[in-house]
Amino acid sequence: GDGFHKYARYYSMFYSMYSRAYGDLSRFVGGFTFNRDTVGQEGGRMPIVPIDPALQEQAIGVMIDKGLKWKGGIPNEQRLLLANQKYGTFGSFFDFWSFDPLPRLVNTARLWTLLPLTDTRLFERLEMQEMLVDGGLGMNDVTDRVFTAVWPDAPDEYDLWTQADYVDIVIARANADTTPRIKAMFDQAIDNSLSKLDDYSASSDPTVAAHGKWLGNKIRRYRDRQKVEF
């Protein structure tokens, strides 16, 4: 059979294609289709048609359940079968990432899903959709579902990575050039994240407690800077 280094390469190819797919899938959320029918054409369609709400719901479900909650796609006991580097990422001999790349790969794949789910352009589309379409996905629908996926009551190793990325992203989005409503929404997400981190800091799990204190203090420092700048 093939050497284990080839299996590691196959896994890397799969992971790369898997993670990149979600950027395109996000276009279904709040998206529109465009028709080239002319004025007066028999059976003519509207030039701009919102994507079917059921399809949007399916897209957001796949992005969250299969992307944002992804845990690597392989059983933990098979991690060592992916070792294929003699030198690690940081250049040290037998660096631990060489033998256990899964946490970093999972984090990167989740990030490729989290970025489009927190993109201001997606929420600008949803904001417009709320004005034009009855019964479609709204901004709060997406925000609440993403927040619930990122902040479980009992986070695991992968969730801690995702939460750190989430905090960085929502802070940046709260200061982005977008609509006041979207800025306020991300600002509220910062406060909601801090509330969850305060809960984590009281956890009986020392890793989760330390994470809650570290990331919570990061948000507090950001809030303190806002007071000075204002």
Side-chain angles (χ1 to χ4, degrees):
D2 292 333
F4 285 117
H5 68 287
K6 290 189 176 180
Y7 283 103
R9 193 176 306 146
Y10 301 152
Y11 177 82
S12 296
M13 292 169 60
F14 153 75
Y15 138 78
S16 178
M17 292 185 289
Y18 185 86
S19 60
R20 290 201 307 265
Y22 293 107
D24 293 331
L25 191 59
S26 67
R27 292 186 293 181
F28 285 89
V29 182
F32 295 82
T33 57
F34 297 89
N35 299 314
R36 297 185 177 181
D37 302 45
T38 59
V39 176
Q41 177 179 331
E42 184 178 355
R45 299 164 295 179
M46 293 287 290
I48 302 176
V49 180
I51 291 177
D52 180 59
L55 187 57
Q56 294 188 46
E57 179 68 30
Q58 184 179 2
I60 199 73
V62 169
M63 292 184 71
I64 291 176
D65 295 335
K66 302 296 184 181
L68 201 53
K69 296 181 179 180
W70 192 58
K71 295 184 182 296
I74 62 173
N76 285 340
E77 59 269 19
Q78 294 184 14
R79 290 187 183 189
L80 293 181
L81 299 180
L82 298 179
N84 69 327
Q85 299 178 35
K86 187 174 182 180
Y87 290 90
T89 301
F90 303 112
S92 59
F93 190 67
F94 288 131
D95 181 87
F96 66 96
W97 288 115
S98 302
F99 294 96
D100 192 6
L102 198 56
R104 174 168 294 179
L105 292 176
V106 171
N107 178 65
T108 304
R110 286 187 174 196
L111 179 61
W112 279 108
T113 307
L114 185 60
L115 284 170
L117 285 173
T118 52
D119 194 328
T120 55
R121 292 170 296 183
L122 180 143
F123 288 101
E124 287 169 3
R125 295 198 305 268
L126 289 172
E127 190 173 20
M128 180 172 64
Q129 180 171 263
E130 290 179 357
M131 299 169 60
L132 303 176
V133 182
D134 293 329
L137 277 176
M139 289 171 49
N140 291 335
D141 297 326
V142 175
T143 303
D144 292 346
R145 291 179 64 174
V146 170
F147 187 87
T148 301
V150 171
W151 299 97
D153 291 334
D156 60 18
E157 174 187 12
Y158 306 126
D159 295 325
L160 304 185
W161 288 59
T162 305
Q163 290 164 7
D165 286 334
Y166 180 86
V167 168
D168 288 340
I169 292 171
V170 295
I171 287 176
R173 299 293 191 252
N175 294 281
D177 183 16
T178 186
T179 70
R181 184 184 171 194
I182 294 174
K183 288 185 176 184
M185 180 193 68
F186 281 115
D187 192 75
Q188 183 62 52
I190 297 172
D191 289 340
N192 294 342
S193 300
L194 182 57
S195 178
K196 291 293 293 187
L197 289 165
D198 286 341
D199 292 340
Y200 288 172
S201 65
S203 171
S204 58
D205 185 331
T207 300
V208 175
H211 172 79
K213 293 176 182 176
W214 162 71
L215 199 53
N217 286 335
K218 184 174 185 177
I219 293 177
R220 290 186 177 91
R221 290 194 298 271
Y222 166 72
R223 289 303 195 197
D224 288 342
R225 289 196 302 272
Q226 280 186 308
K227 296 176 184 177
V228 174
E229 292 170 359
F230 182 77

